[in-house]
Coordinates of all heavy atoms in Angstrom, one line a residue:
Chain B
I374 N 3.5 -10.9 -12.5 CA 3.2 -11.2 -11.1 C 3.3 -10.0 -10.2 O 4.4 -9.5 -10.0 CB 4.1 -12.3 -10.6 CG1 4.2 -13.5 -11.5 CG2 3.7 -12.8 -9.2 CD1 2.9 -14.3 -11.6
N375 N 2.2 -9.4 -9.8 CA 2.3 -8.3 -8.9 C 1.4 -8.4 -7.7 O 0.8 -9.5 -7.5 CB 2.0 -7.0 -9.7 CG 0.6 -7.0 -10.4 OD1 -0.3 -7.8 -9.9 ND2 0.4 -6.3 -11.4
L376 N 1.3 -7.4 -7.0 CA 0.5 -7.4 -5.7 C -0.9 -7.7 -6.0 O -1.6 -8.5 -5.2 CB 0.7 -6.1 -5.0 CG 0.7 -6.1 -3.5 CD1 1.7 -7.1 -3.0 CD2 1.0 -4.7 -3.0
L377 N -1.5 -7.2 -7.0 CA -2.9 -7.4 -7.3 C -3.1 -8.9 -7.7 O -4.2 -9.4 -7.3 CB -3.4 -6.5 -8.5 CG -3.7 -5.1 -8.1 CD1 -4.2 -4.3 -9.3 CD2 -4.8 -5.1 -7.0
F378 N -2.2 -9.5 -8.4 CA -2.3 -10.9 -8.7 C -2.4 -11.7 -7.5 O -3.2 -12.6 -7.3 CB -1.1 -11.4 -9.6 CG -1.1 -12.8 -9.8 CD1 -2.0 -13.5 -10.6 CD2 -0.1 -13.6 -9.2 CE1 -2.0 -14.8 -10.8 CE2 -0.1 -15.0 -9.4 CZ -1.0 -15.6 -10.2
I379 N -1.5 -11.4 -6.5 CA -1.5 -12.2 -5.3 C -2.8 -12.0 -4.5 O -3.3 -12.9 -4.0 CB -0.3 -11.7 -4.3 CG1 1.0 -11.9 -5.1 CG2 -0.3 -12.4 -3.0 CD1 1.4 -13.3 -5.3
T380 N -3.3 -10.8 -4.6 CA -4.6 -10.5 -4.0 C -5.7 -11.4 -4.6 O -6.5 -12.0 -3.9 CB -5.0 -9.0 -4.2 OG1 -3.9 -8.2 -3.7 CG2 -6.2 -8.7 -3.4
A381 N -5.6 -11.5 -5.9 CA -6.6 -12.3 -6.7 C -6.4 -13.8 -6.2 O -7.4 -14.5 -6.0 CB -6.4 -12.2 -8.2
V382 N -5.2 -14.2 -6.1 CA -5.0 -15.6 -5.7 C -5.6 -15.9 -4.3 O -6.3 -16.9 -4.1 CB -3.4 -15.9 -5.7 CG1 -3.2 -17.2 -5.0 CG2 -2.9 -15.9 -7.1
L383 N -5.4 -15.0 -3.4 CA -5.9 -15.2 -2.0 C -7.4 -15.2 -2.1 O -8.1 -16.0 -1.4 CB -5.4 -14.2 -1.1 CG -4.0 -14.4 -0.6 CD1 -3.5 -13.3 0.3 CD2 -3.9 -15.7 0.2
T384 N -8.0 -14.3 -2.9 CA -9.4 -14.2 -2.9 C -10.0 -15.5 -3.5 O -11.0 -16.0 -3.0 CB -9.9 -13.1 -3.9 OG1 -9.1 -11.9 -3.5 CG2 -11.3 -12.8 -3.8
I385 N -9.4 -16.0 -4.5 CA -9.8 -17.3 -5.1 C -9.6 -18.4 -4.2 O -10.5 -19.3 -4.1 CB -9.1 -17.5 -6.5 CG1 -9.6 -16.5 -7.5 CG2 -9.3 -18.9 -6.9 CD1 -11.1 -16.6 -7.8
A386 N -8.6 -18.4 -3.4 CA -8.4 -19.4 -2.3 C -9.7 -19.5 -1.5 O -10.2 -20.5 -1.2 CB -7.2 -19.1 -1.5
G387 N -10.1 -18.3 -1.1 CA -11.4 -18.2 -0.3 C -12.6 -18.7 -1.0 O -13.4 -19.4 -0.6
Y388 N -12.7 -18.2 -2.3 CA -13.8 -18.5 -3.1 C -13.9 -20.0 -3.4 O -15.0 -20.6 -3.3 CB -13.7 -17.7 -4.4 CG -14.8 -18.0 -5.4 CD1 -16.1 -17.5 -5.3 CD2 -14.6 -19.0 -6.4 CE1 -17.1 -17.8 -6.2 CE2 -15.6 -19.3 -7.3 CZ -16.8 -18.7 -7.2 OH -17.8 -19.0 -8.1
S389 N -12.8 -20.6 -3.8 CA -12.8 -22.0 -4.2 C -13.1 -22.9 -3.0 O -13.8 -23.9 -3.1 CB -11.5 -22.4 -4.8 OG -10.9 -23.5 -4.2
L390 N -12.7 -22.4 -1.8 CA -13.0 -23.1 -0.6 C -14.5 -23.1 -0.4 O -15.1 -24.1 0.1 CB -12.3 -22.3 0.6 CG -11.4 -23.1 1.5 CD1 -11.9 -24.6 1.6 CD2 -10.0 -23.1 0.9
T391 N -15.1 -22.0 -0.6 CA -16.6 -21.9 -0.5 C -17.2 -23.0 -1.3 O -18.1 -23.7 -0.8 CB -17.1 -20.5 -1.0 OG1 -16.4 -19.5 -0.3 CG2 -18.6 -20.4 -0.9
D392 N -16.8 -23.1 -2.5 CA -17.3 -24.2 -3.4 C -17.1 -25.6 -2.8 O -18.0 -26.4 -2.8 CB -16.6 -24.1 -4.8 CG -17.5 -23.6 -5.8 OD1 -18.6 -23.0 -5.4 OD2 -17.2 -23.7 -7.0
T393 N -15.9 -25.8 -2.3 CA -15.5 -27.1 -1.8 C -16.4 -27.4 -0.5 O -16.8 -28.5 -0.4 CB -14.0 -27.1 -1.4 OG1 -13.3 -26.6 -2.6 CG2 -13.6 -28.5 -1.0
V394 N -16.5 -26.4 0.3 CA -17.3 -26.5 1.5 C -18.7 -26.9 1.2 O -19.3 -27.8 1.9 CB -17.2 -25.2 2.4 CG1 -18.3 -25.3 3.4 CG2 -15.9 -25.1 3.0
V395 N -19.3 -26.3 0.2 CA -20.7 -26.6 -0.1 C -20.8 -28.1 -0.5 O -21.7 -28.8 -0.1 CB -21.2 -25.8 -1.3 CG1 -22.5 -26.2 -1.8 CG2 -21.3 -24.3 -0.8
V396 N -19.9 -28.6 -1.3 CA -19.9 -30.0 -1.7 C -19.7 -30.9 -0.5 O -20.4 -31.9 -0.3 CB -18.8 -30.3 -2.8 CG1 -18.7 -31.8 -3.1 CG2 -19.1 -29.5 -4.1
F397 N -18.7 -30.5 0.3 CA -18.4 -31.3 1.5 C -19.6 -31.4 2.5 O -19.9 -32.5 3.0 CB -17.2 -30.7 2.3 CG -15.9 -31.1 1.7 CD1 -15.8 -31.8 0.5 CD2 -14.7 -30.7 2.3 CE1 -14.6 -32.1 -0.1 CE2 -13.5 -31.0 1.7 CZ -13.4 -31.7 0.6
D398 N -20.3 -30.3 2.6 CA -21.4 -30.2 3.5 C -22.5 -31.3 3.1 O -23.0 -32.0 3.9 CB -22.1 -28.9 3.4 CG -22.0 -28.1 4.7 OD1 -21.3 -28.6 5.6 OD2 -22.6 -27.1 4.8
R399 N -22.7 -31.4 1.8 CA -23.7 -32.3 1.3 C -23.2 -33.7 1.4 O -24.0 -34.6 1.8 CB -24.0 -32.0 -0.2 CG -25.2 -32.7 -0.8 CD -26.4 -32.4 0.0 NE -27.0 -31.1 -0.2 CZ -28.1 -30.9 -1.0 NH1 -28.7 -31.9 -1.5 NH2 -28.6 -29.7 -1.2
I400 N -21.9 -33.9 1.2 CA -21.4 -35.3 1.4 C -21.6 -35.7 2.9 O -22.0 -36.8 3.2 CB -19.9 -35.4 1.0 CG1 -19.7 -35.1 -0.5 CG2 -19.3 -36.7 1.4 CD1 -18.2 -35.0 -0.9
R401 N -21.3 -34.8 3.8 CA -21.4 -35.2 5.2 C -22.8 -35.5 5.5 O -23.1 -36.5 6.2 CB -20.9 -34.0 6.0 CG -20.9 -34.3 7.5 CD -20.3 -33.2 8.3 NE -20.9 -31.9 8.0 CZ -20.5 -30.8 8.6 NH1 -19.6 -30.8 9.5 NH2 -21.1 -29.7 8.3
E402 N -23.7 -34.6 5.0 CA -25.2 -34.8 5.3 C -25.6 -36.2 4.8 O -26.3 -36.9 5.5 CB -25.9 -33.7 4.6 CG -27.4 -33.7 5.0 CD -28.1 -32.6 4.2 OE1 -27.6 -31.5 4.0 OE2 -29.2 -32.9 3.7
N403 N -25.2 -36.5 3.6 CA -25.6 -37.8 3.0 C -24.9 -39.0 3.7 O -25.5 -40.1 3.7 CB -25.3 -37.8 1.5 CG -26.3 -37.0 0.7 OD1 -27.4 -36.7 1.2 ND2 -25.9 -36.4 -0.4
L404 N -23.7 -38.8 4.2 CA -23.1 -39.9 5.0 C -23.9 -40.2 6.2 O -23.9 -41.4 6.6 CB -21.6 -39.4 5.4 CG -20.5 -39.6 4.4 CD1 -19.2 -39.0 4.9 CD2 -20.3 -41.1 4.1
H405 N -24.5 -39.2 6.8 CA -25.3 -39.5 8.0 C -26.6 -40.2 7.7 O -27.0 -41.1 8.4 CB -25.6 -38.2 8.8 CG -24.4 -37.6 9.4 ND1 -23.6 -38.3 10.3 CD2 -23.8 -36.4 9.3 CE1 -22.6 -37.6 10.7 NE2 -22.7 -36.4 10.1
K406 N -27.2 -39.8 6.5 CA -28.5 -40.3 6.1 C -28.3 -41.8 5.6 O -29.2 -42.6 5.8 CB -29.1 -39.5 5.0 CG -29.9 -38.3 5.6 CD -30.9 -37.8 4.5 CE -30.1 -37.0 3.5 NZ -31.0 -36.0 2.8
N407 N -27.2 -42.0 5.0 CA -27.1 -43.2 4.2 C -25.8 -44.0 4.6 O -24.7 -43.5 4.4 CB -27.0 -42.8 2.7 CG -26.9 -44.0 1.8 OD1 -26.5 -45.1 2.2 ND2 -27.2 -43.8 0.5
V408 N -25.9 -45.1 5.3 CA -24.7 -45.8 5.8 C -24.4 -47.0 4.9 O -23.4 -47.7 5.1 CB -24.9 -46.2 7.2 CG1 -24.6 -45.1 8.2 CG2 -26.2 -46.8 7.5
K409 N -25.3 -47.3 4.0 CA -25.1 -48.5 3.2 C -24.1 -48.4 2.1 O -23.2 -49.1 1.9 CB -26.5 -48.9 2.5 CG -27.5 -49.6 3.5 CD -28.5 -50.4 2.7 CE -29.1 -49.7 1.5 NZ -30.3 -48.9 1.9
D410 N -24.3 -47.3 1.3 CA -23.5 -47.1 0.1 C -22.1 -46.8 0.4 O -21.7 -46.4 1.5 CB -24.1 -46.0 -0.8 CG -25.4 -46.4 -1.4 OD1 -25.5 -47.6 -1.8 OD2 -26.3 -45.6 -1.6
S411 N -21.2 -47.0 -0.7 CA -19.8 -46.7 -0.5 C -19.6 -45.2 -0.5 O -20.4 -44.4 -1.0 CB -19.0 -47.3 -1.7 OG -19.3 -46.6 -2.9
L412 N -18.5 -44.8 0.0 CA -18.1 -43.4 0.0 C -18.1 -42.8 -1.4 O -18.6 -41.7 -1.6 CB -16.7 -43.2 0.7 CG -16.2 -41.8 1.0 CD1 -17.2 -41.1 1.9 CD2 -14.9 -41.9 1.7
T413 N -17.6 -43.6 -2.3 CA -17.5 -43.1 -3.7 C -18.9 -42.8 -4.2 O -19.2 -41.8 -4.8 CB -16.9 -44.3 -4.6 OG1 -15.7 -44.7 -4.0 CG2 -16.7 -43.7 -6.0
A414 N -19.9 -43.7 -4.0 CA -21.2 -43.5 -4.4 C -21.8 -42.3 -3.8 O -22.5 -41.5 -4.5 CB -22.1 -44.7 -4.1
I415 N -21.6 -42.1 -2.5 CA -22.2 -41.0 -1.8 C -21.6 -39.6 -2.4 O -22.3 -38.7 -2.5 CB -21.9 -41.1 -0.3 CG1 -22.8 -42.2 0.2 CG2 -22.2 -39.8 0.4 CD1 -22.6 -42.6 1.7
C416 N -20.3 -39.7 -2.6 CA -19.7 -38.5 -3.2 C -20.3 -38.1 -4.5 O -20.6 -37.0 -4.8 CB -18.1 -38.7 -3.4 SG -17.2 -38.4 -1.8
N417 N -20.4 -39.1 -5.4 CA -21.0 -38.9 -6.7 C -22.4 -38.3 -6.6 O -22.7 -37.3 -7.2 CB -21.1 -40.2 -7.4 CG -20.0 -40.3 -8.4 OD1 -19.5 -39.3 -8.9 ND2 -19.6 -41.6 -8.7
F418 N -23.2 -38.9 -5.7 CA -24.6 -38.6 -5.5 C -24.6 -37.1 -5.0 O -25.4 -36.3 -5.5 CB -25.1 -39.5 -4.4 CG -26.6 -39.3 -4.1 CD1 -27.5 -39.4 -5.1 CD2 -27.0 -39.0 -2.8 CE1 -28.9 -39.2 -4.8 CE2 -28.3 -38.8 -2.6 CZ -29.3 -38.9 -3.6
S419 N -23.8 -36.8 -4.0 CA -23.8 -35.4 -3.4 C -23.4 -34.4 -4.4 O -24.0 -33.3 -4.5 CB -22.8 -35.4 -2.2 OG -23.1 -36.4 -1.3
I420 N -22.3 -34.7 -5.2 CA -21.9 -33.7 -6.2 C -23.0 -33.4 -7.2 O -23.3 -32.3 -7.6 CB -20.6 -34.1 -6.9 CG1 -19.5 -34.2 -5.9 CG2 -20.2 -33.2 -8.0 CD1 -18.2 -34.8 -6.5
N421 N -23.7 -34.5 -7.6 CA -24.8 -34.3 -8.6 C -25.9 -33.5 -8.0 O -26.5 -32.6 -8.6 CB -25.3 -35.7 -9.0 CG -24.5 -36.2 -10.1 OD1 -24.4 -35.6 -11.2 ND2 -24.0 -37.4 -9.9
E422 N -26.1 -33.6 -6.7 CA -27.2 -32.9 -6.0 C -26.9 -31.4 -6.0 O -27.8 -30.6 -6.1 CB -27.4 -33.4 -4.6 CG -28.4 -34.5 -4.4 CD -28.7 -34.9 -3.0 OE1 -27.8 -34.5 -2.1 OE2 -29.7 -35.5 -2.7
V423 N -25.7 -31.0 -5.7 CA -25.4 -29.6 -5.6 C -24.9 -29.0 -7.0 O -24.5 -27.9 -7.0 CB -24.3 -29.3 -4.5 CG1 -24.9 -29.6 -3.2 CG2 -23.0 -30.0 -4.8
L424 N -24.9 -29.9 -8.0 CA -24.3 -29.4 -9.3 C -25.0 -28.1 -9.8 O -24.3 -27.2 -10.3 CB -24.4 -30.5 -10.3 CG -23.5 -30.3 -11.6 CD1 -22.1 -30.2 -11.2 CD2 -23.8 -31.4 -12.6
S425 N -26.3 -28.1 -9.7 CA -26.9 -26.9 -10.3 C -26.5 -25.6 -9.5 O -26.3 -24.6 -10.1 CB -28.4 -27.1 -10.3 OG -28.9 -27.4 -9.0
R426 N -26.4 -25.8 -8.2 CA -26.0 -24.6 -7.4 C -24.6 -24.2 -7.8 O -24.3 -23.0 -8.0 CB -26.0 -25.0 -5.9 CG -25.4 -23.9 -5.0 CD -24.0 -24.2 -4.7 NE -23.3 -23.0 -4.3 CZ -22.0 -22.9 -4.3 NH1 -21.2 -23.9 -4.7 NH2 -21.4 -21.8 -3.9
T427 N -23.7 -25.2 -7.9 CA -22.3 -24.9 -8.3 C -22.2 -24.1 -9.6 O -21.5 -23.1 -9.7 CB -21.5 -26.3 -8.5 OG1 -21.7 -27.0 -7.3 CG2 -20.0 -26.0 -8.7
I428 N -23.0 -24.6 -10.6 CA -23.0 -23.9 -11.9 C -23.5 -22.5 -11.8 O -23.0 -21.6 -12.4 CB -23.7 -24.8 -12.9 CG1 -22.9 -26.1 -13.2 CG2 -23.9 -24.0 -14.2 CD1 -23.6 -27.1 -14.0
I429 N -24.7 -22.4 -11.1 CA -25.3 -21.1 -11.1 C -24.4 -20.0 -10.4 O -24.3 -18.9 -10.8 CB -26.7 -21.2 -10.4 CG1 -27.6 -22.0 -11.3 CG2 -27.3 -19.8 -10.1 CD1 -28.8 -22.6 -10.5
T430 N -23.9 -20.4 -9.2 CA -23.0 -19.4 -8.5 C -21.8 -19.1 -9.3 O -21.4 -17.9 -9.4 CB -22.6 -20.0 -7.2 OG1 -23.7 -20.3 -6.4 CG2 -21.7 -19.0 -6.4
A431 N -21.2 -20.1 -9.9 CA -20.1 -19.8 -10.8 C -20.4 -18.9 -11.9 O -19.7 -17.9 -12.2 CB -19.5 -21.1 -11.3
L432 N -21.6 -19.1 -12.4 CA -22.1 -18.3 -13.5 C -22.3 -16.8 -13.1 O -21.9 -15.9 -13.8 CB -23.4 -18.8 -14.1 CG -23.7 -18.7 -15.5 CD1 -22.6 -19.3 -16.4 CD2 -25.1 -19.3 -15.9
T433 N -23.0 -16.6 -12.0 CA -23.2 -15.2 -11.5 C -21.9 -14.5 -11.2 O -21.7 -13.4 -11.6 CB -24.2 -15.1 -10.3 OG1 -23.6 -15.9 -9.3 CG2 -25.6 -15.6 -10.7
T434 N -21.1 -15.2 -10.5 CA -19.8 -14.6 -10.2 C -19.0 -14.3 -11.4 O -18.3 -13.3 -11.6 CB -19.0 -15.5 -9.2 OG1 -19.8 -16.1 -8.3 CG2 -17.9 -14.8 -8.5
F435 N -19.0 -15.3 -12.3 CA -18.3 -15.1 -13.6 C -18.8 -13.9 -14.4 O -18.1 -13.1 -14.9 CB -18.5 -16.4 -14.4 CG -17.5 -16.5 -15.5 CD1 -16.2 -17.1 -15.3 CD2 -17.8 -16.1 -16.8 CE1 -15.3 -17.2 -16.3 CE2 -16.9 -16.2 -17.8 CZ -15.6 -16.7 -17.6
L436 N -20.2 -13.8 -14.4 CA -20.8 -12.6 -15.1 C -20.3 -11.3 -14.6 O -19.9 -10.4 -15.3 CB -22.3 -12.7 -15.0 CG -23.0 -13.7 -15.9 CD1 -24.5 -13.6 -15.6 CD2 -22.8 -13.4 -17.4
A437 N -20.3 -11.2 -13.2 CA -19.9 -10.0 -12.6 C -18.4 -9.7 -12.9 O -18.1 -8.5 -13.2 CB -20.2 -10.0 -11.1
T438 N -17.6 -10.7 -12.7 CA -16.2 -10.5 -12.9 C -15.9 -10.2 -14.4 O -15.0 -9.5 -14.7 CB -15.4 -11.8 -12.4 OG1 -15.9 -12.1 -11.2 CG2 -13.9 -11.5 -12.3
A439 N -16.6 -10.9 -15.3 CA -16.4 -10.6 -16.7 C -16.7 -9.2 -17.0 O -15.9 -8.6 -17.8 CB -17.3 -11.5 -17.5
S440 N -17.7 -8.6 -16.4 CA -17.9 -7.1 -16.7 C -16.8 -6.3 -16.2 O -16.4 -5.3 -16.8 CB -19.3 -6.7 -16.1 OG -19.1 -6.2 -14.8
L441 N -16.2 -6.7 -15.1 CA -15.0 -6.1 -14.6 C -13.8 -6.2 -15.6 O -13.1 -5.3 -15.8 CB -14.5 -6.8 -13.3 CG -13.9 -5.9 -12.2 CD1 -14.8 -4.8 -11.8 CD2 -13.6 -6.8 -11.0
F442 N -13.7 -7.4 -16.2 CA -12.6 -7.7 -17.1 C -12.8 -6.8 -18.4 O -11.9 -6.3 -18.9 CB -12.6 -9.2 -17.4 CG -11.6 -9.6 -18.5 CD1 -10.3 -9.6 -18.2 CD2 -12.0 -9.9 -19.8 CE1 -9.4 -10.0 -19.1 CE2 -11.1 -10.3 -20.7 CZ -9.8 -10.3 -20.4
F443 N -14.0 -6.7 -18.9 CA -14.3 -6.0 -20.1 C -14.4 -4.5 -20.0 O -14.0 -3.8 -20.9 CB -15.5 -6.6 -20.8 CG -15.3 -8.0 -21.4 CD1 -15.9 -9.1 -20.9 CD2 -14.4 -8.1 -22.5 CE1 -15.7 -10.3 -21.5 CE2 -14.2 -9.4 -23.0 CZ -14.8 -10.5 -22.5
F444 N -15.0 -4.1 -18.9 CA -15.3 -2.7 -18.8 C -14.5 -2.0 -17.6 O -14.7 -0.8 -17.5 CB -16.8 -2.5 -18.5 CG -17.6 -3.2 -19.5 CD1 -18.4 -4.3 -19.2 CD2 -17.7 -2.7 -20.9 CE1 -19.1 -5.0 -20.1 CE2 -18.4 -3.4 -21.8 CZ -19.2 -4.6 -21.4
G445 N -13.8 -2.7 -16.8 CA -13.2 -2.1 -15.6 C -11.9 -1.2 -15.9 O -11.4 -0.6 -14.9
G446 N -11.4 -1.2 -17.1 CA -10.3 -0.4 -17.4 C -9.0 -1.2 -17.2 O -8.9 -2.2 -16.6
E447 N -7.9 -0.5 -17.7 CA -6.6 -1.2 -17.8 C -6.0 -1.6 -16.4 O -5.4 -2.6 -16.3 CB -5.6 -0.3 -18.6 CG -5.1 0.8 -17.8 CD -5.2 2.2 -18.4 OE1 -6.1 2.4 -19.3 OE2 -4.5 3.0 -18.0
V448 N -6.2 -0.8 -15.4 CA -5.6 -1.0 -14.1 C -6.0 -2.3 -13.5 O -5.3 -3.1 -12.9 CB -5.9 0.1 -13.1 CG1 -5.1 -0.1 -11.9 CG2 -5.5 1.5 -13.8
I449 N -7.3 -2.7 -13.8 CA -7.9 -3.8 -13.1 C -8.0 -5.0 -14.0 O -8.4 -6.1 -13.7 CB -9.3 -3.4 -12.6 CG1 -9.7 -4.1 -11.3 CG2 -10.4 -3.5 -13.7 CD1 -9.1 -3.4 -10.2
H450 N -7.5 -4.9 -15.3 CA -7.7 -5.8 -16.3 C -7.1 -7.2 -15.9 O -7.8 -8.2 -16.0 CB -7.1 -5.3 -17.6 CG -7.5 -6.0 -18.8 ND1 -6.8 -7.0 -19.5 CD2 -8.7 -5.9 -19.5 CE1 -7.5 -7.4 -20.5 NE2 -8.6 -6.8 -20.5
D451 N -5.8 -7.2 -15.6 CA -5.2 -8.5 -15.3 C -5.7 -9.1 -14.0 O -5.8 -10.3 -13.9 CB -3.6 -8.3 -15.2 CG -3.0 -8.2 -16.5 OD1 -3.7 -8.3 -17.5 OD2 -1.7 -8.2 -16.6
F452 N -6.1 -8.2 -13.1 CA -6.6 -8.7 -11.8 C -7.9 -9.4 -12.1 O -8.2 -10.5 -11.6 CB -6.9 -7.4 -11.0 CG -7.5 -7.7 -9.7 CD1 -6.9 -8.4 -8.7 CD2 -8.8 -7.1 -9.4 CE1 -7.5 -8.6 -7.4 CE2 -9.4 -7.3 -8.2 CZ -8.8 -8.0 -7.2
A453 N -8.8 -8.8 -12.9 CA -10.1 -9.5 -13.3 C -9.8 -10.8 -14.0 O -10.5 -11.8 -13.8 CB -10.9 -8.5 -14.1
F454 N -8.8 -10.8 -14.9 CA -8.5 -12.0 -15.6 C -8.1 -13.1 -14.6 O -8.6 -14.2 -14.8 CB -7.3 -11.7 -16.6 CG -6.9 -12.9 -17.3 CD1 -7.7 -13.5 -18.3 CD2 -5.7 -13.5 -17.0 CE1 -7.3 -14.6 -19.0 CE2 -5.2 -14.6 -17.7 CZ -6.0 -15.2 -18.7
A455 N -7.3 -12.8 -13.7 CA -6.9 -13.8 -12.7 C -8.1 -14.3 -11.9 O -8.2 -15.5 -11.7 CB -5.9 -13.2 -11.7
L456 N -9.0 -13.4 -11.6 CA -10.2 -13.9 -10.9 C -11.1 -14.8 -11.8 O -11.6 -15.9 -11.3 CB -11.1 -12.7 -10.5 CG -10.6 -11.8 -9.4 CD1 -11.5 -10.6 -9.1 CD2 -10.4 -12.6 -8.1
L457 N -11.2 -14.5 -13.1 CA -11.9 -15.3 -14.0 C -11.3 -16.7 -14.1 O -12.0 -17.7 -14.0 CB -11.9 -14.7 -15.4 CG -12.8 -13.5 -15.6 CD1 -12.7 -13.0 -17.1 CD2 -14.3 -13.8 -15.3
V458 N -10.0 -16.8 -14.2 CA -9.3 -18.1 -14.3 C -9.6 -18.8 -13.0 O -9.9 -20.0 -13.0 CB -7.8 -17.9 -14.4 CG1 -7.0 -19.2 -14.2 CG2 -7.5 -17.3 -15.8
G459 N -9.5 -18.1 -11.9 CA -9.7 -18.7 -10.5 C -11.1 -19.3 -10.4 O -11.2 -20.4 -9.8
I460 N -12.1 -18.6 -10.9 CA -13.5 -19.1 -10.7 C -13.6 -20.4 -11.4 O -14.2 -21.3 -10.9 CB -14.5 -18.0 -11.2 CG1 -14.5 -16.8 -10.3 CG2 -15.9 -18.6 -11.3 CD1 -15.2 -15.6 -10.9
I461 N -13.1 -20.5 -12.6 CA -13.2 -21.7 -13.4 C -12.5 -22.8 -12.7 O -13.1 -23.9 -12.5 CB -12.6 -21.5 -14.8 CG1 -13.5 -20.4 -15.6 CG2 -12.7 -22.8 -15.6 CD1 -12.9 -20.0 -16.9
V462 N -11.2 -22.6 -12.4 CA -10.5 -23.8 -11.7 C -11.1 -24.1 -10.3 O -11.0 -25.2 -9.9 CB -9.0 -23.5 -11.6 CG1 -8.4 -23.5 -13.0 CG2 -8.6 -22.3 -10.8
G463 N -11.7 -23.1 -9.7 CA -12.2 -23.3 -8.4 C -13.4 -24.3 -8.5 O -13.5 -25.2 -7.6
V464 N -14.2 -24.1 -9.5 CA -15.3 -25.1 -9.7 C -14.8 -26.5 -10.0 O -15.2 -27.5 -9.4 CB -16.3 -24.6 -10.8 CG1 -17.3 -25.6 -11.1 CG2 -17.0 -23.3 -10.3
Y465 N -13.9 -26.5 -10.9 CA -13.3 -27.8 -11.4 C -12.7 -28.5 -10.2 O -12.9 -29.7 -10.0 CB -12.2 -27.5 -12.4 CG -11.3 -28.6 -12.7 CD1 -11.7 -29.6 -13.6 CD2 -10.1 -28.7 -12.1 CE1 -10.8 -30.7 -13.9 CE2 -9.2 -29.8 -12.4 CZ -9.6 -30.8 -13.2 OH -8.8 -31.8 -13.5
S466 N -11.9 -27.8 -9.4 CA -11.2 -28.5 -8.3 C -12.1 -29.0 -7.2 O -11.9 -30.0 -6.6 CB -10.2 -27.6 -7.7 OG -10.8 -26.6 -6.9
S467 N -13.3 -28.3 -6.9 CA -14.1 -28.7 -5.9 C -14.8 -30.0 -6.3 O -15.1 -30.9 -5.4 CB -15.1 -27.7 -5.5 OG -16.0 -27.4 -6.6
V468 N -15.0 -30.2 -7.6 CA -15.6 -31.4 -8.1 C -14.6 -32.5 -8.3 O -14.7 -33.7 -7.9 CB -16.4 -31.2 -9.4 CG1 -16.9 -32.5 -9.9 CG2 -17.6 -30.2 -9.1
F469 N -13.5 -32.2 -9.0 CA -12.6 -33.2 -9.5 C -11.3 -33.4 -8.6 O -10.6 -34.3 -8.9 CB -12.2 -32.9 -10.9 CG -13.4 -33.1 -11.9 CD1 -14.0 -32.1 -12.5 CD2 -13.8 -34.4 -12.1 CE1 -15.0 -32.3 -13.4 CE2 -14.9 -34.6 -13.0 CZ -15.5 -33.5 -13.6
V470 N -11.1 -32.5 -7.7 CA -9.9 -32.7 -6.9 C -10.2 -33.0 -5.4 O -9.8 -34.0 -4.9 CB -8.9 -31.4 -7.0 CG1 -7.7 -31.6 -6.1 CG2 -8.5 -31.2 -8.4
A471 N -11.0 -32.1 -4.8 CA -11.3 -32.2 -3.4 C -12.0 -33.5 -3.0 O -11.5 -34.3 -2.2 CB -12.2 -31.0 -3.0
S472 N -13.1 -33.8 -3.7 CA -13.9 -35.0 -3.3 C -13.1 -36.3 -3.6 O -13.1 -37.2 -2.7 CB -15.2 -35.0 -4.1 OG -15.9 -33.8 -3.8

Side-chain angles (χ1 to χ4, degrees):
Chain B
I374 308 291
N375 56 25
L376 213 51
L377 277 181
F378 171 72
I379 301 295
T380 307
V382 167
L383 280 177
T384 312
I385 287 302
Y388 174 82
S389 129
L390 235 328
T391 303
D392 254 14
T393 309
V394 164
V395 171
V396 175
F397 281 3
D398 242 9
R399 191 57 77 104
I400 294 175
R401 184 174 52 179
E402 190 184 317
N403 287 334
L404 274 175
H405 289 305
K406 271 200 286 202
N407 181 342
V408 281
K409 282 204 313 272
D410 286 328
S411 70
L412 189 56
T413 310
I415 289 175
C416 279
N417 258 333
F418 183 61
S419 308
I420 294 173
N421 276 303
E422 269 188 341
V423 294
L424 193 61
S425 53
R426 173 266 158 197
T427 306
I428 291 173
I429 291 158
T430 301
L432 212 59
T433 55
T434 321
F435 196 86
L436 282 178
T438 314
S440 92
L441 212 57
F442 176 75
F443 287 112
F444 309 108
E447 76 231 21
V448 185
I449 213 83
H450 199 257
D451 280 4
F452 176 66
F454 177 71
L456 288 178
L457 286 180
V458 171
I460 290 168
I461 296 169
V462 294
V464 171
Y465 166 83
S466 75
S467 62
V468 173
F469 290 110
V470 179
S472 306

